Amino acid sequence: MLKLITASERHQTNIGDWLQSHYLFSFADYYNPANVQFGPLRVFNHDRISAKNGFPSHPHTEMEVVNFILDGEINHQDSLGNKTTLKAGDVQRMTAGTGITHSETNDTDGYAELLQLWFISNKPGVAPAYENMTLDFLNTKDKLVPLVTGQKVLENIPFMNSNSTVYYGHLSQGGNYDFKTFKIRKTLLYVLSGSLLVHNMEVDQYDQVRLEELDVVGLHATGEATFILVDVPATEVNY
């Protein structure tokens, strides 16, 4: 099963003059009971934060929160004592667990752009944790690279408590890629730039496709394309 959701169908919100965000799922002021989550993937926000602004300190519990920095830089601070600066190509993972508070601010003179994803944890009640890595994923060429995972077959990237993996992909015009999956899993693909054919369905910039009950997700780049691919279980198992 394939479901195309176009860029114009994303929920757009502007908070003051500092945040422009597009929500792929119900979040904050947007609620659609038919669009709450996809497997354990609960939040997928595409954020653009203006200069000298950001998210003040706020709490989370029982979520795996991951951020992918696309442009600019973000300063992170949390209740565990972490203080870090994240730049384009960096990946951040927070296990909220029993409770964590954090702030994410853009202290530069330009804007910052990031993707923020939340996964429902499959290990409730664990201690909060934090990590970030410089993966330089934006320089990926003609392949799919994992950014964060809860599947132990993948190493040397941030590990989260969800049986899911997020990938960044690049394909040159005319390029092809077959993503192997299982019928008991789901796939969400979000195009960041360019255009793709996904099983012969045209998918343009900021469109998304949600796929279920497939063994292979076939991709063909009709133009040079970059994208995020999220691989999730149809049903998450708590451990």
Side-chain angles (χ1 to χ4, degrees):
M1 183 175 73
L2 290 77
K3 181 180 180 181
L4 173 66
I5 301 173
T6 64
S8 62
E9 294 177 89
R10 300 174 300 167
H11 179 80
Q12 180 175 348
T13 187
N14 296 301
I15 300 177
D17 60 357
W18 71 272
L19 176 67
Q20 181 185 80
S21 189
H22 290 88
Y23 303 155
L24 274 61
F25 297 96
S26 295
F27 187 80
D29 64 333
Y30 164 58
Y31 178 70
N32 178 350
N35 189 32
V36 173
Q37 66 189 80
F38 189 69
L41 178 59
R42 175 62 188 84
V43 170
F44 191 130
N45 295 349
H46 192 164
D47 296 331
R48 183 182 173 113
I49 304 170
S50 64
K52 309 296 184 182
N53 276 295
F55 299 98
S57 186
H58 58 283
H60 293 289
T61 58
E62 304 299 358
M63 286 285 174
E64 300 293 310
V65 180
V66 294
N67 288 325
F68 309 114
I69 313 303
L70 301 179
D71 202 356
E73 63 181 55
I74 292 291
N75 286 327
H76 166 89
Q77 187 168 342
D78 64 43
S79 54
L80 301 180
N82 296 296
K83 294 182 179 180
T84 59
T85 298
L86 304 161
K87 299 184 179 182
D90 288 354
V91 174
Q92 176 197 74
R93 186 272 307 175
M94 283 184 294
T95 292
T98 55
I100 191 171
T101 59
H102 73 112
S103 61
E104 310 291 338
T105 58
N106 173 17
D107 299 326
T108 73
D109 293 325
Y111 73 88
E113 183 180 2
L114 68 148
L115 300 175
Q116 176 184 177
L117 282 66
W118 300 7
F119 296 83
I120 298 171
S121 176
N122 62 13
K123 290 186 178 180
V126 301
Y130 173 86
E131 66 178 320
N132 62 268
M133 289 187 184
T134 297
L135 297 182
D136 197 26
F137 62 87
L138 296 171
N139 288 321
T140 296
K141 297 295 182 184
D142 291 311
K143 61 182 178 179
L144 206 62
V145 295
L147 303 181
V148 63
T149 191
Q151 298 175 281
K152 294 181 180 179
V153 295
L154 298 171
E155 298 178 345
N156 302 318
I157 57 174
F159 188 85
M160 62 179 174
N161 295 308
S162 173
N163 185 25
S164 307
T165 302
V166 182
Y167 300 85
Y168 177 89
H170 172 276
L171 285 175
S172 298
Q173 184 173 3
N176 298 286
Y177 192 91
D178 286 339
F179 177 73
K180 304 293 194 300
T181 183
F182 301 93
K183 291 182 179 178
I184 59 172
R185 298 185 67 81
K186 301 182 178 186
T187 306
L188 184 148
L189 187 140
Y190 180 64
V191 176
L192 294 171
S193 66
S195 57
L196 293 166
L197 289 178
V198 181
H199 289 275
N200 294 317
M201 177 185 291
E202 185 76 28
V203 187
D204 295 319
Q205 186 178 36
Y206 303 141
D207 290 349
Q208 60 179 291
V209 182
R210 301 180 189 183
L211 307 103
E212 302 182 46
E213 300 178 351
L214 295 174
D215 294 315
V216 177
V217 176
L219 309 176
H220 172 76
T222 53
E224 183 178 13
T226 61
F227 54 93
I228 294 290
L229 187 150
V230 188
D231 172 41
V232 299
T235 303
E236 184 71 284
V237 176
N238 290 338
Y239 294 96

